Amino acid sequence: MPNPTKLTMLAIVLLACHGCLVIPVPVPIPISSEANPSLDSPHPEQGSETLQEKFKKTCHADALTESEGRKITEDSDSLESTADKLAATGKHNEAIRKYNEAGAAMLNEALADGRMEDMEFSAIWHNWRGEGAEGFREENRPLLQKSAESSFKIGTNYAKLGKLELAVDCFNQTLKIGILPPNDAIAHLNRGDAYERLGNKEKAKADFQQAVNLFKKYKLTSYQKDSENRLRSGSN
């Protein structure tokens, strides 16, 4: 069984081989709690950020440490359901904590039943066959979809708290993994709102337009109109 300490702090499994496509697989993985000088030692260039400082600006800013994650015994679905209820009642900080606990539980479950190891072999296989990321995504859709939904929900709660940079990173991860319709359109709409609040009108406009296109494709008229209104208001 793979040891979670071998997985990266940024919760991205990168499977690479010589001359082939690298497939990024973002998964909500608890980070190591062990002291790591490389995380705290500043880069020699003046004004540069440490890895730890950069990490705190990502969707995983409030992720559990590895030791905390290993202590999670409740199943991921129950934890996610609790997180959903907390989010619905406006308890966004508590909801984020529970979503991260659910992510740790999901990792523990995937390590225990061998899905993580299967995913690693799947990435290598699809790379070797030159099939790119799409075949890999479809083969591992259930686990990847749960990861995408987790990032989506955490991002939504960060946005509610006004932590917009963290929200944007969560929606970036959601879209990179490939969340299923219509949540992909909603992720663009939500990321556009975060960009607009951050003052980045160009990126907001691009996301609102993509949301319009996707909602039109999915024949979700009311959402399409809402996105069109956001697009018009952002253009003024």
Side-chain angles (χ1 to χ4, degrees):
M1 181 184 299
N3 187 327
T5 60
K6 296 179 181 178
L7 301 175
T8 66
M9 182 195 74
L10 292 181
I12 297 177
V13 180
L14 292 175
L15 282 299
C17 58
H18 180 67
C20 64
L21 178 67
V22 177
I23 301 178
V25 188
V27 182
I29 296 173
I31 64 173
S32 176
S33 57
E34 298 176 359
N36 187 338
S38 66
L39 300 183
D40 300 317
S41 302
H43 193 277
E45 294 180 8
Q46 185 177 4
S48 63
E49 293 179 303
T50 65
L51 289 177
Q52 188 66 44
E53 288 169 342
K54 291 180 179 179
F55 184 79
K56 285 299 181 182
K57 295 181 180 179
T58 72
C59 188
H60 305 287
D62 295 304
L64 276 61
T65 64
E66 182 181 300
S67 59
E68 289 174 329
R70 285 181 173 181
K71 293 176 184 176
I72 300 297
T73 57
E74 194 172 349
D75 69 273
S76 59
D77 288 338
S78 295
L79 287 165
E80 185 176 3
S81 178
T82 300
D84 289 341
K85 291 174 183 176
L86 288 168
T89 57
K91 298 178 180 179
H92 303 297
N93 281 312
E94 294 92 332
I96 289 168
R97 173 71 185 189
K98 281 297 175 186
Y99 284 128
N100 279 310
E101 288 181 10
M106 185 175 75
L107 171 66
N108 292 337
E109 292 159 5
L111 287 167
D113 62 21
R115 281 177 294 162
M116 283 298 296
E117 190 169 17
D118 290 344
M119 181 179 284
E120 293 179 11
F121 282 119
S122 173
I124 293 170
W125 173 250
H126 284 286
N127 268 329
W128 181 74
R129 288 173 61 90
E131 295 174 346
E134 194 55 39
F136 170 81
R137 286 196 185 100
E138 290 310 311
E139 188 172 302
N140 298 277
R141 173 56 64 185
L143 187 57
L144 292 178
Q145 184 62 20
K146 287 194 73 172
S147 176
E149 290 172 355
S150 175
S151 295
F152 176 81
K153 290 178 177 181
I154 292 173
T156 300
N157 281 274
Y158 274 137
K160 295 284 187 181
L161 291 169
K163 297 181 178 181
L164 303 176
E165 290 185 351
L166 302 186
V168 165
D169 189 71
C170 288
F171 296 133
N172 287 345
Q173 291 191 30
T174 294
L175 293 166
K176 187 173 184 179
I177 299 169
I179 195 168
L180 294 177
N183 281 346
D184 55 345
I186 297 173
H188 277 290
L189 184 61
N190 288 354
R191 189 174 68 177
D193 178 71
Y195 275 135
E196 187 174 63
R197 290 163 67 188
L198 284 167
N200 194 328
K201 291 187 177 182
E202 287 303 312
K203 286 189 175 182
K205 182 179 178 181
D207 267 328
F208 291 147
Q209 183 62 66
Q210 184 63 11
V212 169
N213 296 342
L214 289 172
F215 285 130
K216 183 177 182 180
K217 177 182 177 181
Y218 305 146
K219 294 180 170 56
L220 295 173
T221 307
S222 61
Y223 286 99
Q224 179 187 337
K225 289 181 179 178
D226 181 48
S227 300
E228 288 171 342
N229 289 336
R230 296 305 306 275
L231 182 61
R232 281 194 293 270
S233 65
S235 301
N236 294 332

